[in-house]
């Protein structure tokens, strides 16, 4: 009688990324086909990025900026300005320390930038249904004659803008006077681009040039001084559509999303990145992007394909995912259940933070694993593996876990599974799962850190 022989093995399992593009059979056991609300940049699993309340961000602030100016005595003043979900513009009054509305008028979603005009610091505010406006700390003014601005960038003391009602033109203001939009050879004007790259959606001042992001490409404008010396160079044609809300300056590069994935642009060439997430992220639903502390943040919808309702997914939502990507190292993480509609890197009260609006509430993006006070469920799923022994049966005997909070460990062979919830500390899970291919999942519901696992298994000849 032949007696089956077996050998016992120990395998260390770290956590190194997500890949939804390749077949599970070719993935390393440390690469997940489905993971969210965990940050794995350290090789362990930690709580991922979420949104939290902050004392300098009003709860009702769905859009938020910081305005700096000098008061009548010459003293430096910083003031936050924000927009509520119903369109009102509010600000923090420096004297009273309370929040007030600028006006009773409700506006479409705003964009803003600081500028010094006629020796006075002002905050420009723009939306695509009203003329350009400026705020001086106490008064809101409209500047008639400006386009209905959809995006704007200050470049060599001119304001360059796109307008939804003129999708083939980039308008620019008079030199040193962004409130003067008179079209003439010595004041303002426009650049019209008519070719296959499509509508002009976003302007970005980057390095010494102005870049125009269009539906299907990028054009570069050289605009140093006199407008008669302006010139345009077409740089990039995209087969897919470029989404304006994804375009963000990130230090020495610009990042953006197109219908065929994520891109890094250095001012001359574009390259794809994070191809492993193709099919999971849905770029056509991008709601916001930002750059903060060396990371690119992108809010959009994602198709996790499991039928679960996490966080914002329990109701109506415009976004359900937040991607964070380190421009320097390429490390990334993916959060699920956040309905982020706006993000802006700010400094206020001596503190740097990434302000954000989630649904109808304001806060800041931090690595907390929560949606305000709500813990976001955290999930990590390994691929199925045969431990490079396809012709042998396996028995997963034990899984050794070190965690700072309760975690559920699920071991499956495709036919049956065993789920065990362990408390914080160093724990051993007795699995007892037999088959040719094995997978493992980790689930947590609160803030935690899970060290790399150790699996003990046997292979039978």
């Amino acid at each position: 009688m032949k007696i089956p022989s077996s050998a016992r093995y120990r395998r260390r399992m770290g956590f190194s990324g997500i890949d939804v593009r390749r077949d599970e059979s070719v993935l390393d056991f440390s690469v997940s086909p489905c993971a969210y609300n965990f940050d794995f940049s350290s090789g362990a699993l930690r709580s991922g990025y979420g949104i939290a309340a902050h004392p300098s961000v009003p709860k009702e602030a769905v859009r938020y900026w910081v305005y700096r100016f000098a008061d009548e005595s010459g003293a430096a003043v910083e003031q936050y300005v924000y927009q509520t979900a119903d369109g009102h513009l509010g600000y923090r009054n420096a004297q009273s320390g309370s929040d007030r509305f600028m006006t009773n008028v409700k506006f479409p979603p705003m964009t803003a930038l600081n500028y010094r005009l006629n020796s006075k610091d002002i905050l420009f505010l723009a939306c695509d249904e009203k003329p350009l406006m400026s705020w001086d700390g106490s008064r809101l003014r409209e500047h008639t004659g400006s386009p209905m601005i959809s995006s704007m960038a200050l470049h060599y003391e001119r304001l360059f803008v796109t307008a939804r009602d003129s999708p083939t033109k980039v308008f620019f203001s008079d030199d040193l006077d962004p409130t003067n939009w008179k079209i003439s050879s010595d004041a303002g004007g426009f650049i019209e681009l008519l070719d296959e790259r499509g509508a002009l959606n976003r302007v970005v001042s980057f390095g010494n040039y102005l870049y125009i992001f269009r539906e299907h490409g990028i054009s570069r404008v050289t605009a140093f001084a006199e407008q008669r010396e302006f010139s345009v160079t077409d740089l990039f044609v995209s087969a897919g559509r470029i989404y304006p809300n994804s375009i963000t300056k990130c230090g020495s590069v610009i990042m953006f999303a197109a219908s065929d994935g994520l891109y890094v642009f250095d001012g001359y060439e574009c390259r794809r990145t994070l191809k492993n997430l193709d099919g999971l992220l849905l770029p056509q639903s991008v709601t916001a992007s930002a750059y903060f502390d060396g990371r690119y943040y992108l809010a959009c919808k994602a198709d996790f394909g499991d039928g679960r309702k996490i966080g914002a997914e329990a109701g109506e939502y415009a976004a359900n995912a937040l991607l964070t990507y380190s421009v320097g190292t390429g490390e990334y993480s993916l959060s699920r259940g956040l309905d982020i509609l706006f993000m802006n890197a700010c400094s206020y009260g001596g503190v740097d933070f990434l302000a954000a609006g989630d649904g109808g509430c304001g806060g800041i993006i931090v690595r907390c694993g929560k949606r305000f006070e709500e813990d976001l469920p955290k999930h990590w799923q390994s691929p199925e593996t045969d431990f490079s022994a396809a012709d042998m049966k396996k028995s997963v005997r034990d899984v050794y876990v070190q965690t700072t909070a309760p975690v559920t460990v699920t071991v499956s062979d495709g036919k049956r599974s065993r789920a065990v919830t362990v408390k914080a500390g160093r724990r051993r899970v007795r699995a007892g799962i037999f088959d040719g291919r094995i997978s493992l999942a980790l689930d947590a519901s609160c803030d935690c850190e899970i060290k790399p696992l150790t699996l003990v298994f046997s292979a039978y000849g």
Side-chain angles (χ1 to χ4, degrees):
M1 182 177 68
K2 183 178 180 180
I3 300 175
S5 61
S6 66
R8 182 173 295 189
Y9 304 92
R10 297 173 69 90
R11 175 152 181 173
R12 186 78 163 167
M13 175 190 168
F15 310 98
S16 61
I18 305 171
D19 195 326
V20 300
R21 189 179 185 188
R22 294 185 296 167
D23 189 89
E24 289 188 31
S25 62
V26 301
L27 296 181
D28 185 84
F29 203 49
S30 65
V31 177
S32 175
C34 181
Y36 49 82
N37 294 326
F38 274 127
D39 174 69
F40 41 81
S41 59
S42 66
L45 294 181
R46 302 180 294 169
S47 295
Y49 288 83
I51 187 168
H54 190 275
S56 296
V57 181
K59 184 178 180 180
E60 63 272 22
V62 296
R63 305 177 81 82
Y64 180 99
W65 309 273
V66 175
Y67 165 47
R68 291 179 173 83
F69 62 99
D71 63 15
E72 295 179 354
S73 66
V77 178
E78 60 179 8
Q79 178 187 86
Y80 63 67
V81 174
Y82 62 95
Q83 188 172 28
T84 62
D86 64 3
H88 281 112
L89 289 172
Y91 69 101
R92 168 56 59 101
N93 183 275
Q95 283 72 36
S96 66
S98 60
D99 290 350
R100 298 180 180 179
F101 284 135
M102 296 180 187
T103 173
N104 291 327
V105 178
K106 298 178 182 180
F107 299 97
M110 285 282 184
T111 184
L113 62 82
N114 284 274
Y115 186 74
R116 188 166 182 83
L117 179 65
N118 298 326
S119 301
K120 187 173 184 180
D121 298 304
I122 62 170
L123 182 71
F124 279 129
L125 294 159
C127 61
D128 59 8
E129 294 181 12
K130 293 283 185 178
L132 181 68
M133 292 178 289
S134 62
W135 170 253
D136 64 5
S138 59
R139 181 186 176 192
L140 185 66
R141 296 182 56 195
E142 284 192 0
H143 301 282
T144 58
S146 74
M148 301 302 177
I149 298 170
S150 58
S151 78
M152 58 182 175
L154 189 65
H155 185 71
Y156 285 94
E157 300 303 328
R158 292 183 190 265
L159 195 60
F160 288 79
V161 307
T162 56
R164 296 195 196 282
D165 58 350
S166 300
T168 63
K169 298 176 182 178
V170 166
F171 297 88
F172 54 87
S173 70
D174 190 8
D175 192 21
L176 298 173
D177 187 2
T179 65
N180 180 6
W181 296 91
K182 180 182 178 182
I183 297 176
S184 71
S185 60
D186 59 354
F190 64 86
I191 301 168
E192 187 166 21
L193 301 177
L194 299 169
D195 58 46
E196 72 280 1
R197 290 171 177 82
L200 285 56
N201 292 325
R202 183 63 59 93
V203 284
V204 179
S205 179
F206 181 61
N208 293 323
Y209 301 99
L210 182 83
Y211 292 89
I212 305 171
F213 284 79
R214 307 169 64 180
E215 280 188 324
H216 299 284
I218 304 172
S219 299
R220 185 181 68 201
V221 178
T222 302
F224 297 123
E226 298 295 329
Q227 59 172 283
R228 64 175 175 271
E229 298 178 5
F230 289 3
S231 63
V232 179
T233 304
D234 293 323
L235 298 179
F236 174 67
V237 177
S238 171
R241 183 181 178 189
I242 297 173
Y243 298 105
N245 289 339
S246 70
I247 302 165
T248 297
K249 283 196 297 185
C250 301
S252 61
V253 298
I254 298 174
M255 291 200 63
F256 66 91
S259 55
D260 56 346
L262 289 171
Y263 283 85
V264 180
F265 176 59
D266 63 6
Y268 298 92
E269 297 180 337
C270 290
R271 62 175 176 85
R272 284 289 314 279
T273 188
L274 293 184
K275 295 180 182 180
N276 50 298
L277 299 183
D278 287 357
L280 173 61
L281 300 179
L282 306 176
Q284 67 273 20
S285 62
V286 170
T287 55
S289 61
Y291 178 66
F292 177 71
D293 196 25
R295 291 182 176 86
Y296 172 66
Y297 293 77
L298 180 76
C300 65
K301 283 185 178 179
D303 181 11
F304 293 93
D306 58 8
R308 298 185 67 185
K309 302 293 184 183
I310 305 297
E313 296 172 354
E316 294 184 0
Y317 59 93
N320 67 329
L322 177 67
L323 173 73
T324 68
Y325 174 80
S326 172
V327 177
T329 67
E331 295 171 346
Y332 63 94
S333 68
L334 187 64
S335 299
R336 178 181 181 183
L338 302 171
D339 188 16
I340 303 295
L341 304 180
F342 172 83
M343 290 182 284
N344 185 34
C346 299
S347 179
Y348 183 81
V351 178
D352 297 331
F353 54 83
L354 180 59
D358 181 330
C361 297
I364 64 170
I365 301 294
V366 288
R367 198 173 57 78
C368 63
K370 293 185 177 184
R371 188 187 187 210
F372 295 107
E373 298 304 316
E374 175 190 1
D375 281 303
L376 293 171
K378 301 156 186 61
H379 177 72
W380 173 276
Q381 174 71 52
S382 80
E384 288 189 344
T385 183
D386 58 14
F387 297 112
S388 300
D391 57 342
M392 304 179 73
K393 284 189 173 296
K394 268 73 63 180
S395 168
V396 177
R397 296 176 178 269
D398 301 301
V399 181
Y400 289 89
V401 184
Q402 182 178 349
T403 175
T404 60
V407 61
T408 298
V409 182
T410 303
V411 184
S412 174
D413 62 9
K415 299 175 183 177
R416 56 180 179 161
S417 62
R418 176 175 173 78
V420 178
T421 299
V422 299
K423 297 180 180 179
R426 297 176 181 267
R427 305 295 176 184
R428 182 178 72 169
V429 175
R430 303 300 297 269
I433 292 294
F434 300 82
D435 203 357
R437 300 187 67 82
I438 303 297
S439 66
L440 184 145
L442 299 170
D443 289 275
S445 59
C446 60
D447 184 40
C448 66
E449 181 174 354
I450 305 170
K451 299 293 186 182
L453 309 178
T454 299
L455 280 69
V456 178
F457 67 95
S458 296
Y460 296 84

